[in-house]
């Protein structure tokens, strides 16, 4: 008896220790960012064979102007990761001037917001998922001054469902003060749930059913449903139906200590029973991605995110007064560290020879996002200045065992072909970073003719995205990854980066559990 | 002249290159020598003479190479490490001394590996069996892939041998005495994850999926990378070779250190072996003996006992028989009829009874879409449940996941009508054994199936040509005789008529091989081969019962001869009604040769409802949930009614009366051309009917026992009991000329 109680306890505590596994156990960086960023740059210069010109330029820039424009410096640094070293962004002629199609409605992103993404178990710990979603919705209302009855439909994406608010879209929109006349539903497709929320909205507008859609996503990992065991549930349900005291007593008597062992939400893929981190490690090995490459990419993500945060580029983040706690205004998972510290970590999944660690994986995150999507004419009629057009998109799916996280590799060529664009036409890439190893594997897959021919039935590769265009404001590894909310963050970031950097086309790509994936082309709205 | 001469010597030395090695090579990566094995002449690696010689050569070079600190041993074949020693090497020996010497050479080579100052890491992907395992466990460290193909084991016992290259000495130390006995006495394959738990391998590597190379190629590369890391780790002491022992391990070691405990283990294991093998198989006993010698008298005695016992075993008739069966089985896993024109992708099975559902079960998980058709909802759902249960049992044993079970079941369609039969590539009927019903079915089916579709009939005795008489395309009709339970019995007997086309046969064999069967292809005739051999033996068993031999005694005598199931129990398992049916049919076809026992005995039993296990009563009474069974008291009346006065018959005579009739009929099948050759005859008898494996099958038995001795016995029985003991002509020929043998 005692033993099974103990076992139950162990299982529960293991669940919580999982949170810690995902969380970065690295030292936070001091106030002055450049103190750490300079050594980082030096490490990169020593690790990569740079062209003489590049190295001297880098050194010059460091010598001549000590307070270098951070964005510039990192662009040099990031180039060392890219396969094709380009020093000057060339003026390119696009394959297409616009992706507008005659007879097809233009759909625009008017605004996108998100709550700060926090490590689970931190400031949001006592909330419920719909609270976060509510905060995002209210932020959107506030930012757009949208009348509360001007929306036709609200769609939310989420992965781990809180059973009390299973249609979290409805509970959040009611709580956020939207008119109760606006229908809302919840969708799920693992890490691309909010992408599905957005594309569902796009579909409704295209079909002429709606003009104004709010889509979003929420994930709350600080609390997850832990169930009684199946046997216990069966007994409890039978107790409900029991009519006599005798029946009740005999049912209660049938309960054994073992029945009290709780059932945890599976962190493993249902069809293969493999955890995602394990699969990511195998994927990295299959593509020959080294630990060093992964740690470098993770460091890049954190470094860029920190820079973007400091430069105030993450303007989609709204501040949120957490009931009973402080106001949160910033993501709290961004921790640029050093390669030495990253190298110290032991592999988290495949032991002892694996390469995926807590630091080069995305961590368990709480957060919510929301976007306002409209038909262009409606947006203009309401006096909005749209941020971007939402253009072609695809969903793809592959073998959930060996190609679990290859969604971007499959989705990117497909959506480019659909839109009639080439890799060079894209100015802004925002890929979901589940694991550094997964990103590197996808980049290698995109850059391999053999992979394109053998597994995608294509004549040739489309090539890997240029690193100086890739996830320049950080990514899921550093900003955090609330499963259901990441999609909207990616789309909003592309829109904001296009505005900031002045490009025309952006590409979003993401992988999801179940071996699925998504990619979408976004076009800058003429300013 | 001198200096130039000197120079030329140096030159020749430099230019001299050893004859190119074909099986083993190595490459030095940093300070690790990666030794790669690949037998270019075969799909699998075996420890052949050539492989061993080249290995020793490479090993010497690696030891002598100062740039090398450690080594990795790996196979270049994606699906095989080392499948075992080369059996032909043993078979080429004429005396036990020669085999003992072979064993000692192997021992010596692995002792050098074990004592190597440079650590060697075995990187295992695919089968690592027999000599391959002994090689691996002589290495300092083992890394294995978690691939389903990766299995470790010592299957020597199944060939009547023992692990003769140090296995009996190293395994007990590595996995403990009970674990080692379990491995060596059962010969079972151990999967990588289990091997890790047992302490047989140190580290596991996951198989990889698609990347920048094919999954197989990259997985081996990855395994090599990890193994190299391990080798370096051992050299720089990051990996310790002495594993910290857990509490359980310490307790176990302590217990095993007590001599009394060890003696008890030997005693228990020996008793268990004697009970299972009836003392008919010498190998398990020699394995126990060798392990004991090593543990009790030290390694020198142990290795000597192992080598000597290996030599002795290699010369036994049992080992010869078992090796013969192994070769036969390999031969019967090939399609000698070539590749069929169209692969069977859609298979329909008629009748969801035990056989029909069993066939569905072994088909549905092989990527073949399977339709299971019955006439009633009840029959169909019983059959579907049987398939589900078969797969679910595998889920419980964790050989497949619940997802794989569901995915597999998605290829099974249960239905009551002929819809979709227009897409069927093959139909196997498993309906009731009645010619009229079979005729009706064949006509119904031929009306709905496409022209290329094959019609296979699963019957145990009805001649195929009689069934095919109702067909409008007899070239597409073939017999596929499965054995019950289909998922357990390895044999499939395929029966061709003179009208069956070669492509039809090729297709049936291809399907059978996919189902994992060992296949014999025989000619058409009443009872084909297997049923025809079994019937006379069962007739004799009935006669023995009539003579007053107790069913339990009858069972004991048959199992004592090496049959896995006694004759009376076998009759109950087959079904008394089926036995009666077959006995009557074959009696009509073959006349008095199938006499002996009175068919009326069986018929009366059927009338009384004693149909065997399925009806709860037969020769025995079966109580559900109870393993032991008692003799059915009510059959005494039946036997009393048909009682025969026994001629004094010794136990041995009872055994030979049963066996000689079986063997004579088998030889007759060869004589009449029903059988293609003695190999298929032996395989069919052993895998389908349980003929004693230690005898290697009826034909091997005649060779070993002596045809003249057998004929002499039969003639004696003929005088007493009548002409069903008359030896056939081929047997007489062999008796006359002792140089005539079925197996070379």
């Amino acid at each position: 008896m005692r033993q099974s109680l103990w076992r139950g306890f162990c299982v529960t505590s293991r669940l919580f220790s999982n949170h810690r596994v995902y969380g970065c156990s690295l030292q936070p960086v001091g106030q002055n960012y450049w103190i750490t960023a300079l050594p980082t740059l030096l490490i990169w210069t020593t690790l990569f064979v740079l062209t003489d010109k590049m190295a001297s330029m880098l050194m010059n820039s460091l010598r001549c102007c000590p307070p270098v424009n951070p964005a510039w410096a990192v662009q040099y640094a990031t180039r060392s990761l890219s396969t094709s070293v380009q020093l000057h962004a060339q003026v390119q002629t696009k394959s297409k001037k616009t992706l507008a199609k005659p007879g097809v409605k233009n759909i625009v992103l008017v605004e996108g917001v998100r709550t700060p993404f926090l490590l689970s178990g931190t400031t949001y710990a006592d909330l419920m998922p719909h609270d976060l979603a509510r905060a995002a919705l209210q932020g959107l209302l506030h930012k757009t001054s949208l009348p509360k009855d001007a929306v036709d439909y609200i769609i939310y994406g989420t992965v781990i469902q809180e059973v009390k608010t299973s249609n979290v879209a409805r509970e959040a929109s009611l709580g956020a003060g939207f008119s109760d006349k606006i229908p809302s539903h919840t969708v799920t497709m693992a890490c691309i749930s909010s992408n599905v929320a957005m594309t569902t909205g796009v579909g409704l507008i295209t079909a002429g059913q709606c003009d104004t859609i709010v889509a979003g996503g929420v994930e709350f990992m600080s609390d997850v449903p832990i169930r009684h065991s199946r046997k216990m549930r069966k007994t409890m349900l039978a107790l409900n139906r029991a009519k006599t005291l005798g029946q009740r007593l005999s049912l209660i008597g049938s309960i054994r200590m073992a029945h009290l062992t709780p059932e945890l939400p599976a962190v493993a893929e249902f069809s293969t029973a493999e955890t995602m981190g394990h699969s990511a490690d195998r994927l990295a090995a299959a593509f020959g991605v080294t630990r060093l490459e992964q740690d470098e990419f993770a460091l890049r993500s954190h470094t860029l995110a920190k820079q973007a945060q400091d430069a105030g580029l993450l303007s989609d983040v709204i501040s949120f007064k957490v009931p009973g706690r402080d106001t949160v205004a910033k993501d709290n998972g961004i921790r640029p560290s050093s390669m030495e510290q990253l190298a110290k970590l032991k592999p988290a999944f495949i032991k002892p020879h694996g390469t995926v660690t807590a630091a080069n994986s995305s961590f368990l995150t709480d957060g919510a996002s929301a976007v306002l999507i409209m038909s262009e004419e409606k947006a203009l009629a309401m006096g909005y200045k749209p941020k971007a057009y939402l253009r072609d998109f695809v969903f793809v799916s592959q073998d959930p065992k060996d190609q679990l996280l290859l969604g971007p590799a499959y989705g990117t060529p497909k959506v480019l072909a659909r839109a009639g664009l080439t890799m060079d036409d894209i100015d802004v890439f925002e890929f979901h970073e589940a694991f550094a190893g997964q990103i590197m594997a996808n980049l290698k897959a995109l850059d391999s003719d053999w992979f394109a021919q053998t597994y995608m039935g294509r004549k040739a590769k489309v090539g890997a995205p240029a690193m100086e265009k890739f996830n320049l404001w950080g990514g899921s590894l550093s900003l955090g990854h609330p499963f259901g909310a990441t999609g909207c963050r990616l789309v909003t970031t592309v829109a904001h980066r296009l505005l900031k950097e002045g490009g025309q086309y952006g590409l979003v790509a993401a992988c999801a559990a179940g071996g699925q994936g998504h990619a979408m082309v976004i076009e800058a709205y003429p300013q | 002249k001198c200096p130039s001469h000197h120079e030329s010597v140096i030159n020749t030395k430099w230019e001299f290159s050893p004859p190119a090695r074909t099986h083993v090579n190595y490459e030095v990566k940093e300070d690790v020598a990666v030794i790669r094995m690949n037998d270019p002449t075969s799909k699998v690696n075996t420890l052949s003479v050539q492989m061993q010689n080249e290995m020793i050569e490479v090993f010497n070079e690696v030891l002598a190479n100062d740039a090398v600190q450690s080594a990795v041993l790996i196979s270049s074949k994606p699906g095989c490490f080392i499948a075992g020693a080369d059996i032909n090497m043993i078979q080429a020996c004429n005396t036990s001394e020669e085999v003992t010497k072979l064993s000692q050479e192997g021992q010596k080579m692995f002792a050098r590996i074990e004592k190597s100052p440079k650590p060697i890491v075995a990187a295992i992907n695919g089968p690592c069996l027999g000599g391959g395992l002994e090689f691996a466990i002589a290495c300092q460290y083992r890394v294995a892939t978690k691939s389903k193909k990766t299995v470790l084991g010592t299957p020597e016992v199944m060939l009547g041998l023992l692990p003769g290259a140090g296995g009996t000495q190293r395994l007990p130390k590595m996995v403990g005495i009970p674990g080692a006995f379990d491995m060596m006495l059962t010969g079972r394959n151990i999967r990588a994850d289990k091997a890790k738990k047992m302490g047989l391998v140190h580290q596991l590597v996951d198989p990889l999926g698609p990347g920048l190379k094919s999954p197989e190629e990259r997985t081996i590369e990855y395994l090599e990378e990890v193994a190299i890391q391990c080798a370096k780790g051992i050299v720089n002491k990051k990996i310790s070779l002495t594993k910290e022992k857990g509490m359980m391990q310490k307790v176990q070691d302590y217990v095993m250190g007590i001599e009394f405990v060890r003696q008890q283990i030997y005693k228990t294991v020996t008793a268990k072996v004697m009970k299972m093998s009836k003392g008919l198989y010498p190998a398990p006993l020699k394995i126990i003996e060798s392990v004991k010698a090593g543990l009790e008298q030290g390694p020198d005695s142990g290795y000597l006992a192992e080598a000597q016992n290996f030599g002795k075993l290699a010369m036994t008739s049992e080992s010869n028989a078992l090796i013969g069966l192994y070769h036969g089985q390999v031969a019967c896993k090939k399609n000698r009829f070539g590749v069929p024109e169209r692969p069977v992708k859609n298979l329909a099975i008629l009748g969801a009874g035990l056989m029909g559902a069993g066939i569905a079960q072994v088909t549905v998980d092989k990527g073949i879409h399977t339709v299971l058709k019955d006439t009633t909802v009840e029959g169909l759902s019983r059959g579907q449940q049987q398939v589900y249960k078969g797969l679910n049992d595998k889920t419980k044993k964790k050989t497949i996941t619940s997802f794989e079970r569901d995915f597999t079941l998605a290829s099974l369609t249960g239905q009551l009508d002929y819809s979709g039969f227009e897409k069927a590539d093959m139909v196997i009927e498993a309906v009731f054994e009645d010619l009229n019903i079979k005729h009706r079915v064949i006509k119904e089916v031929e009306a709905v199936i496409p022209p290329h579709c094959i019609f296979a009939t699963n019957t145990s005795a009805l001649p195929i040509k009689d069934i095919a008489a109702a067909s409008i395309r007899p070239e597409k009709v073939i017999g596929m005789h499965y054995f019950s339970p289909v998922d357990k019995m390895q044999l499939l007997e395929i029966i061709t008529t003179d009208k069956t086309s070669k492509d039809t046969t090729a297709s049936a064999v291809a399907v059978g091989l996919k189902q994992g069967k060992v296949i014999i292809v025989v000619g058409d005739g009443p009872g084909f081969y297997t049923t025809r051999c079994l019937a006379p033996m069962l007739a004799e068993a009935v006669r023995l019962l009539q003579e007053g031999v107790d069913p339990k005694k009858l069972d004991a005598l048959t199992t004592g001869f090496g049959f896995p199931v006694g004759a009376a129990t076998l009759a109950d398992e087959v079904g008394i009604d089926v036995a009666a049916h077959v006995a009557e049919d074959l009696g009509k076809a073959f006349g008095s040769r199938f006499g002996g026992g009175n068919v009326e005995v069986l018929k009366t039993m059927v009338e009384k409802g004693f149909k065997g296990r399925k009806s709860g009563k037969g020769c025995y009474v079966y109580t559900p949930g109870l393993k032991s069974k008692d003799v059915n008291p009510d059959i005494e009346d039946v036997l009393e009614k048909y009682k025969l006065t026994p001629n004094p018959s010794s136990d041995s005579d009872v055994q030979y009366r049963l066996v000689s009739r079986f063997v004579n009929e088998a030889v007759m099948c060869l004589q009449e051309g029903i059988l293609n050759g003695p190999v298929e005859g032996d395989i069919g008898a052993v895998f389908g009917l349980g003929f004693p494996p230690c005898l290697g099958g009826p034909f091997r038995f005649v060779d070993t026992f002596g045809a003249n001795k057998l004929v002499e016995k039969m003639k004696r029985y003929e005088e007493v009991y009548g002409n069903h003991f008359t030896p056939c002509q081929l047997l007489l020929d062999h008796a006359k000329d002792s140089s005539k043998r079925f197996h070379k």
Side-chain angles (χ1 to χ4, degrees), chain B residues 729-743:
Chain B
Q729 191 53 48
L730 186 57
L731 197 55
L732 287 172
D733 293 348
H734 275 244
K736 223 178 275 168
D737 180 357
S738 66
S739 71
K740 278 194 172 170
R741 300 179 81 79
F742 291 114
H743 293 282

Side-chain angles (χ1 to χ4, degrees), chain B residues 205-225:
Chain B
V205 170
D206 288 277
L208 300 180
L212 298 178
K213 287 177 182 167
S214 80
E216 297 75 27
E217 203 183 331
R218 178 64 194 139
T219 299
I220 286 215
E221 226 178 64
Y222 181 48
L223 171 67
E224 186 181 305
E225 288 164 15

Side-chain angles (χ1 to χ4, degrees), chain A residues 313-328:
Chain A
L313 297 173
L314 306 178
S315 59
D316 54 340
V317 180
I318 51 155
S319 50
F320 173 24
K321 166 71 182 76
V322 182
R325 305 254 194 146
D326 297 336
T327 297
V328 187

Side-chain angles (χ1 to χ4, degrees), chain A residues 130-145:
Chain A
H130 71 285
D131 294 327
L132 281 178
R134 219 153 39 88
L137 287 171
Q138 278 171 325
L140 188 70
L141 282 172
H142 180 73
K143 217 168 180 179
T144 56
S145 311

Side-chain angles (χ1 to χ4, degrees), chain B residues 53-100:
Chain B
N53 289 343
E54 290 190 14
M55 185 60 75
I56 292 171
E57 230 177 84
V58 166
F59 182 60
N60 287 339
E61 281 178 35
V62 165
L63 279 189
N65 190 339
D66 291 335
V68 171
Q69 298 278 325
S70 58
V72 164
L73 177 70
I74 195 166
S75 160
S76 309
K77 289 192 193 293
C80 177
F81 181 69
I82 303 174
D86 185 358
I87 304 179
N88 298 327
M89 215 161 68
I90 300 161
Q91 286 192 303
C93 298
N94 293 315
T95 65
S96 69
E97 286 73 25
E98 278 176 64
V99 183
T100 300

Side-chain angles (χ1 to χ4, degrees), chain A residues 364-394:
Chain A
L364 293 182
T365 314
D366 300 336
S369 55
V371 293
L372 177 60
I373 303 172
M374 291 175 141
S375 63
E376 186 181 19
E377 52 213 44
K378 178 80 178 178
L380 295 175
M382 285 182 75
Y384 286 117
K385 172 85 183 162
K387 290 191 161 166
Y389 291 110
L390 302 185
R391 297 298 193 189
D392 295 273
F393 63 85
V394 293

Side-chain angles (χ1 to χ4, degrees), chain B residues 25-44:
Chain B
N25 262 307
Y26 80 105
E27 166 193 2
V28 181
K29 289 194 168 177
E30 292 173 53
D31 59 357
V32 183
V34 179
I35 305 172
R36 296 200 178 87
M37 303 172 285
N38 189 5
D39 182 343
T41 60
S42 164
K43 268 196 220 164
V44 295

